Amino acid sequence: MNKQIEKNELLIRQGSFLVDEAKNSVKLSILQNYVQVLYALEGVKIAEQNLNTSKDQLDQSEGFYKLKSITQKDLLDAKSQYSTSEYNLITAKNNYEQQLMTLKQVLELSPETEFDIREIDTSIVSSLNIPDKMLVYNNALNYLPEINSGLTYLEILDKNIEIVESNYKPNVSLSASLGAVAIPHLRIILFFSN
């Protein structure tokens, strides 16, 4: 019976680790979506730069075409590149809006909710002292609820084995009774329980 109580205590401890694991999962999901929004925002900036470059090249090509320095095909190539850059900018903006919507869903905000995305200050990131990867790994082993939950689960399995094994060990029971005869009657019962 004590082993069953110990097992139940382990199950309660594992349950608290599972709650922490779920909290970490939500935090990680928010962080992943935030990074995706930042990535999409960077895509918009790159597409805008490419569009500006394509516009400059188109303006230059039109000037050269008027001076008869380039062929009509070269001018059409520049126009085509500019159109492609416009399309890429529209696609990048749509991707940003889609990633922003996904982040709002993870945060359980309504689609109409307005908020600004702050970019990561790269000067702060570059000045951080990043610890050794083995130190990070060892700390994760001690901290992460997924690890603690798994270790507790192994303890629960060991407790289950102990409970099952104890059911197959013999139990000794001693009973005595006095009968009508003046000699006490002593009976020892040995049984196995399943």
Side-chain angles (χ1 to χ4, degrees), residues 16-34:
S16 71
F17 290 135
L18 293 174
V19 168
D20 291 341
E21 186 178 338
K23 288 177 184 177
N24 284 352
S25 178
V26 169
K27 290 175 187 175
L28 184 59
S29 178
I30 291 169
L31 181 61
Q32 286 174 331
N33 283 287
Y34 173 70

Side-chain angles (χ1 to χ4, degrees), residues 51-189:
L51 181 64
N52 290 335
T53 302
S54 294
K55 176 67 174 150
D56 290 343
Q57 287 174 346
L58 177 60
D59 292 342
Q60 187 179 32
S61 294
E62 286 174 343
F64 285 147
Y65 182 72
K66 287 178 184 176
L67 296 173
K68 308 268 187 216
S69 296
I70 62 170
T71 65
Q72 186 176 9
K73 179 194 174 302
D74 292 333
L75 177 61
L76 293 175
D77 286 344
K79 286 182 179 181
S80 173
Q81 181 59 44
Y82 179 74
S83 296
T84 301
S85 295
E86 283 182 317
Y87 172 78
N88 289 341
L89 178 59
I90 292 168
T91 302
K93 286 181 177 180
N94 286 339
N95 184 39
Y96 171 74
E97 290 297 325
Q98 186 178 29
Q99 294 300 331
L100 195 60
M101 185 64 67
T102 303
L103 179 61
K104 287 178 183 180
Q105 288 172 343
V106 170
L107 292 172
E108 297 182 0
L109 299 173
S110 69
E112 298 82 27
T113 303
E114 294 288 328
F115 64 89
D116 292 327
I117 296 296
R118 294 186 187 226
E119 296 181 54
I120 298 172
D121 186 359
T122 54
S123 64
I124 294 173
V125 174
S126 62
S127 68
L128 291 176
N129 184 14
I130 299 175
D132 178 57
K133 63 183 173 185
M134 287 309 294
L135 177 65
V136 172
Y137 174 75
N138 288 327
N139 285 341
L141 288 178
N142 294 327
Y143 173 74
L144 288 177
E146 294 88 345
I147 303 295
N148 292 326
S149 174
L151 293 173
T152 304
Y153 181 69
L154 292 176
E155 289 181 53
I156 291 168
L157 292 177
D158 288 342
K159 237 6 121 178
N160 281 339
I161 291 171
E162 289 176 18
I163 291 170
V164 169
E165 285 176 346
S166 70
N167 287 337
Y168 288 104
K169 290 181 181 173
N171 292 326
V172 177
S173 175
L174 179 65
S175 65
S177 63
L178 291 174
V181 183
I183 302 172
H185 179 64
L186 181 63
R187 182 172 61 181
I188 297 177
I189 302 171

